[in-house]
Amino acid sequence: MPGTPALTAQNAGGSMSTVKETVDVNVPVRRAYDQWTQFEEFPRFMEGVEEVTQLDDRHNHWTTKIAGVKREFDTEIVDQLVDDRVTWRTVGGETQQRGSVRFEPLDDTHTRVELTMDVEPTGMAEKGADAVGVIDRRVKGDLHRFKEYVENGGSGGGWHGRIRPEDPAAGH
């Protein structure tokens, strides 16, 4: 049903927790995709994200503060297809996660955004936060703030390059 968020979470024996959230935004698919690829804008709508620095087309450095604990880590985009998806994984730092965001055009002016993340809580604070569903609620809140941000104009711009899983990683 359009406009109805769906949230599921699983915790397989205390390791990776999977969070999946969907939100429908009242903008065309290109606009939703373009805004998502402005990674340095993430702190404007993602709770706990203090800074994202884009290092190159594939790599970003993140600074987060969750449950009072500051973490820094790097992510690598492993698959990116214009107006369709962005898939990433952590490649360095104190946080282990991977995820994918997909963009599905519902019509010319509405897009379904589906975010799936696998997060491995690292410290006691994160494990405690995960146990009470804080991560699930944060992802849900982030997507709804993204909806508000992109529908109210956002920052504009976007990157339309293609990254494939089989491409050699830059700098590796």
Side-chain angles (χ1 to χ4, degrees):
M1 180 190 303
T4 305
L7 181 67
T8 58
Q10 301 150 343
N11 192 330
S15 57
M16 285 277 191
S17 292
T18 300
V19 178
K20 186 173 182 178
E21 177 67 29
T22 304
V23 68
D24 293 346
V25 296
N26 299 321
V27 297
V29 67
R30 171 60 52 97
R31 180 80 191 96
Y33 174 86
D34 282 356
Q35 184 60 65
W36 193 274
T37 61
Q38 298 299 301
F39 304 114
E40 294 187 350
E41 297 291 315
F42 281 10
R44 294 179 182 263
F45 56 85
M46 288 191 174
E47 183 184 350
V49 176
E50 294 190 336
E51 185 178 24
V52 179
T53 304
Q54 190 160 354
L55 305 174
D56 58 37
D57 288 346
R58 251 189 204 272
H59 298 93
N60 292 294
H61 181 77
W62 294 66
T63 303
T64 63
K65 193 169 192 177
I66 295 173
V69 178
K70 189 172 184 171
R71 298 263 187 238
E72 293 195 35
F73 58 94
D74 294 323
T75 56
E76 175 185 46
I77 296 169
V78 293
D79 187 16
Q80 184 167 341
L81 179 62
V82 174
D83 295 346
D84 184 76
R85 67 184 173 270
V86 179
T87 304
W88 69 93
R89 66 179 176 201
T90 53
V91 291
E94 306 167 290
T95 299
Q96 293 300 312
Q97 63 162 264
R98 60 182 178 261
S100 184
V101 62
R102 294 191 158 275
F103 303 88
E104 177 190 347
L106 300 174
D107 59 32
D108 289 346
T109 58
H110 297 86
T111 304
R112 178 158 295 144
V113 180
E114 180 182 89
L115 176 63
T116 305
M117 285 182 57
D118 295 316
V119 180
E120 184 172 338
T122 45
M124 290 305 292
E126 289 92 338
K127 288 177 182 170
D130 183 57
V132 296
V134 169
I135 294 170
D136 303 336
R137 288 193 299 277
R138 176 163 289 155
V139 168
K140 184 176 186 175
D142 288 348
L143 258 192
H144 287 274
R145 283 185 295 275
F146 172 76
K147 173 183 170 66
E148 290 175 23
Y149 188 66
V150 72
E151 287 177 359
N152 289 319
S155 66
W159 187 75
H160 301 125
R162 172 71 168 113
I163 295 175
R164 294 173 182 83
E166 64 274 9
D167 290 344
H172 287 278

